Amino acid sequence: MANEKNLRPARTKKEARQRGANGGKASGKARRERKAMQELAKIILNTPVEGKPEELDDIEAMCFEDFPDKHLTVGERSLFAVAKKAQKGDIQALTFLRDTAGEKPVEKLEVSGDVEKAAANIQAMIAAEKEKG
């Protein structure tokens, strides 16, 4: 976490440019990793399943054919573990998979009330504070 003690200001424009480039590269890498996780969650959710949930022990084996290489990260293997739980009826696991796949429903919040009256009250409070000082 950044604070005044561990911040090092750039000494030259070249150094500042290099730090910016490094940050951009790191940001791109993180974005690609998130996208890969999202794609994997979509594949898992769209994988056809045959049989009863208690008969399905290895969802990971079912999904391996969708990948050119079988070297998965801890995060990717964790998605398979969550998928196993979701298959057995765990609603929280299914919600996690859905959200990770980018299919979270939009939450809408409707605000109602007399906007003009509220604006007038705010303006009156601002005017009163200005008079005080």
Side-chain angles (χ1 to χ4, degrees), residues 83-114:
K84 282 183 187 180
K85 285 181 144 186
Q87 269 188 323
K88 293 179 181 176
D90 187 338
I91 299 300
Q92 287 181 331
L94 180 59
T95 302
F96 175 80
L97 270 178
R98 181 203 64 200
D99 294 351
T100 303
E103 298 177 7
K104 183 175 182 176
V106 178
E107 296 177 8
K108 294 184 179 180
L109 180 64
E110 188 174 319
V111 178
S112 61
D114 190 0

Side-chain angles (χ1 to χ4, degrees), residues 9-128:
R11 295 186 184 127
T12 64
K13 287 185 179 184
K14 182 179 178 183
E15 186 180 357
R17 198 173 14 253
Q18 183 62 39
R19 286 185 185 181
N22 290 344
K25 290 173 186 174
S27 173
K29 181 181 177 189
R31 200 170 30 252
R32 285 189 297 277
E33 289 172 357
R34 280 193 302 273
K35 182 72 173 174
M37 192 71 87
Q38 182 180 28
E39 291 299 319
L40 179 60
K42 284 180 181 180
I43 290 170
I44 290 172
L45 284 174
N46 293 320
T47 300
V49 178
E50 296 176 9
K52 298 176 183 174
E54 57 271 3
E55 296 171 356
L56 301 170
D57 286 334
D58 199 10
I59 188 167
E60 195 170 332
M62 292 187 316
C63 295
F64 266 149
E65 65 230 18
D66 295 326
F67 299 98
D69 61 357
K70 297 183 181 183
H71 303 288
L72 299 176
T73 65
V74 172
E76 291 166 338
R77 287 195 180 270
S78 298
L79 276 179
F80 287 118
V82 170
K84 282 183 187 180
K85 285 181 144 186
Q87 269 188 323
K88 293 179 181 176
D90 187 338
I91 299 300
Q92 287 181 331
L94 180 59
T95 302
F96 175 80
L97 270 178
R98 181 203 64 200
D99 294 351
T100 303
E103 298 177 7
K104 183 175 182 176
V106 178
E107 296 177 8
K108 294 184 179 180
L109 180 64
E110 188 174 319
V111 178
S112 61
D114 190 0
V115 176
E116 291 175 7
K117 185 177 178 181
N121 287 342
I122 291 171
Q123 288 174 347
M125 289 187 322
I126 292 172

